[in-house]
Short mmCIF file of all heavy atoms in Angstrom, two decimals:
data_model
loop_
_atom_site.label_atom_id
_atom_site.label_comp_id
_atom_site.label_asym_id
_atom_site.label_seq_id
_atom_site.Cartn_x
_atom_site.Cartn_y
_atom_site.Cartn_z
N LEU A 187 -141.16 -97.91 128.11
CA LEU A 187 -140.55 -96.58 128.06
C LEU A 187 -141.36 -95.55 128.83
O LEU A 187 -140.85 -94.49 129.18
CB LEU A 187 -140.43 -96.12 126.60
CG LEU A 187 -139.51 -96.96 125.70
CD1 LEU A 187 -139.48 -96.37 124.31
CD2 LEU A 187 -138.11 -97.02 126.29
N ASP A 201 -143.67 -85.63 138.19
CA ASP A 201 -142.82 -85.67 139.38
C ASP A 201 -142.96 -84.36 140.15
O ASP A 201 -143.78 -83.51 139.81
CB ASP A 201 -141.36 -85.96 139.00
CG ASP A 201 -140.74 -84.86 138.13
OD1 ASP A 201 -141.27 -83.72 138.09
OD2 ASP A 201 -139.70 -85.13 137.49
N LYS A 205 -142.47 -82.36 135.80
CA LYS A 205 -142.11 -83.04 134.56
C LYS A 205 -142.69 -84.46 134.55
O LYS A 205 -143.01 -85.02 135.58
CB LYS A 205 -140.59 -83.11 134.42
CG LYS A 205 -139.92 -81.76 134.24
CD LYS A 205 -138.42 -81.92 134.06
CE LYS A 205 -137.74 -80.57 133.84
NZ LYS A 205 -136.27 -80.73 133.64
N HIS A 206 -142.80 -85.01 133.36
CA HIS A 206 -143.29 -86.38 133.23
C HIS A 206 -142.29 -87.34 133.86
O HIS A 206 -141.08 -87.23 133.63
CB HIS A 206 -143.49 -86.73 131.75
CG HIS A 206 -144.42 -87.88 131.53
ND1 HIS A 206 -144.13 -89.17 131.93
CD2 HIS A 206 -145.64 -87.95 130.95
CE1 HIS A 206 -145.12 -89.97 131.61
NE2 HIS A 206 -146.06 -89.26 131.00
N VAL A 207 -142.78 -88.28 134.65
CA VAL A 207 -141.90 -89.21 135.36
C VAL A 207 -141.10 -90.11 134.41
O VAL A 207 -140.11 -90.73 134.81
CB VAL A 207 -142.70 -90.10 136.33
CG1 VAL A 207 -143.31 -89.25 137.44
CG2 VAL A 207 -143.77 -90.90 135.60
N SER A 208 -141.49 -90.18 133.14
CA SER A 208 -140.81 -91.05 132.18
C SER A 208 -139.73 -90.35 131.37
O SER A 208 -139.11 -90.98 130.52
CB SER A 208 -141.84 -91.65 131.21
OG SER A 208 -142.83 -92.37 131.90
N GLU A 209 -139.48 -89.07 131.62
CA GLU A 209 -138.52 -88.32 130.82
C GLU A 209 -137.14 -88.98 130.79
O GLU A 209 -136.45 -88.99 129.77
CB GLU A 209 -138.40 -86.88 131.31
CG GLU A 209 -139.51 -85.97 130.82
CD GLU A 209 -139.14 -84.49 130.95
OE1 GLU A 209 -137.94 -84.19 131.12
OE2 GLU A 209 -140.06 -83.64 130.87
N ALA A 210 -136.71 -89.54 131.93
CA ALA A 210 -135.37 -90.10 132.03
C ALA A 210 -135.19 -91.34 131.14
O ALA A 210 -134.06 -91.78 130.90
CB ALA A 210 -135.05 -90.46 133.47
N ASN A 211 -136.29 -91.92 130.66
CA ASN A 211 -136.20 -93.11 129.81
C ASN A 211 -135.83 -92.79 128.37
O ASN A 211 -135.62 -93.70 127.57
CB ASN A 211 -137.53 -93.86 129.83
CG ASN A 211 -137.87 -94.42 131.19
OD1 ASN A 211 -136.99 -94.56 132.04
ND2 ASN A 211 -139.12 -94.74 131.41
N PHE A 212 -135.76 -91.52 128.03
CA PHE A 212 -135.51 -91.11 126.65
C PHE A 212 -134.14 -90.47 126.52
O PHE A 212 -133.69 -89.74 127.40
CB PHE A 212 -136.59 -90.12 126.19
CG PHE A 212 -137.96 -90.73 126.08
CD1 PHE A 212 -138.73 -90.94 127.21
CD2 PHE A 212 -138.46 -91.12 124.85
CE1 PHE A 212 -139.99 -91.51 127.12
CE2 PHE A 212 -139.71 -91.69 124.74
CZ PHE A 212 -140.48 -91.90 125.89
N ASP A 213 -133.47 -90.76 125.41
CA ASP A 213 -132.16 -90.18 125.11
C ASP A 213 -132.38 -88.85 124.41
O ASP A 213 -132.71 -88.80 123.22
CB ASP A 213 -131.37 -91.13 124.20
CG ASP A 213 -129.96 -90.63 123.90
OD1 ASP A 213 -129.66 -89.46 124.24
OD2 ASP A 213 -129.18 -91.38 123.31
N GLN A 214 -132.20 -87.76 125.13
CA GLN A 214 -132.49 -86.45 124.56
C GLN A 214 -131.38 -85.94 123.66
O GLN A 214 -131.47 -84.83 123.13
CB GLN A 214 -132.81 -85.46 125.69
CG GLN A 214 -134.07 -85.86 126.45
CD GLN A 214 -134.49 -84.82 127.48
OE1 GLN A 214 -134.47 -83.63 127.23
NE2 GLN A 214 -134.91 -85.30 128.65
N VAL A 242 -145.22 -87.78 126.88
CA VAL A 242 -144.06 -87.41 127.70
C VAL A 242 -143.54 -86.01 127.37
O VAL A 242 -143.28 -85.21 128.25
CB VAL A 242 -142.92 -88.45 127.60
CG1 VAL A 242 -141.76 -88.07 128.53
CG2 VAL A 242 -143.42 -89.84 127.94
N PHE A 243 -143.36 -85.72 126.08
CA PHE A 243 -142.87 -84.41 125.65
C PHE A 243 -143.90 -83.77 124.72
O PHE A 243 -144.52 -84.45 123.90
CB PHE A 243 -141.54 -84.54 124.90
CG PHE A 243 -140.45 -85.17 125.72
CD1 PHE A 243 -140.20 -86.52 125.63
CD2 PHE A 243 -139.67 -84.40 126.58
CE1 PHE A 243 -139.19 -87.12 126.38
CE2 PHE A 243 -138.66 -84.98 127.33
CZ PHE A 243 -138.43 -86.34 127.23
N TYR A 250 -135.71 -90.35 121.31
CA TYR A 250 -135.63 -91.80 121.24
C TYR A 250 -135.23 -92.38 122.60
O TYR A 250 -134.59 -91.72 123.39
CB TYR A 250 -134.60 -92.23 120.19
CG TYR A 250 -135.07 -91.98 118.79
CD1 TYR A 250 -134.89 -90.74 118.18
CD2 TYR A 250 -135.72 -92.99 118.06
CE1 TYR A 250 -135.35 -90.52 116.90
CE2 TYR A 250 -136.18 -92.78 116.77
CZ TYR A 250 -135.99 -91.53 116.20
OH TYR A 250 -136.44 -91.31 114.92
#
Side-chain angles (χ1 to χ4, degrees):
L187 296 181
D201 63 18
K205 294 182 179 181
H206 200 294
V207 295
S208 302
E209 279 198 16
N211 295 341
F212 293 79
D213 183 350
Q214 296 186 42
V242 183
F243 300 95
Y250 288 86

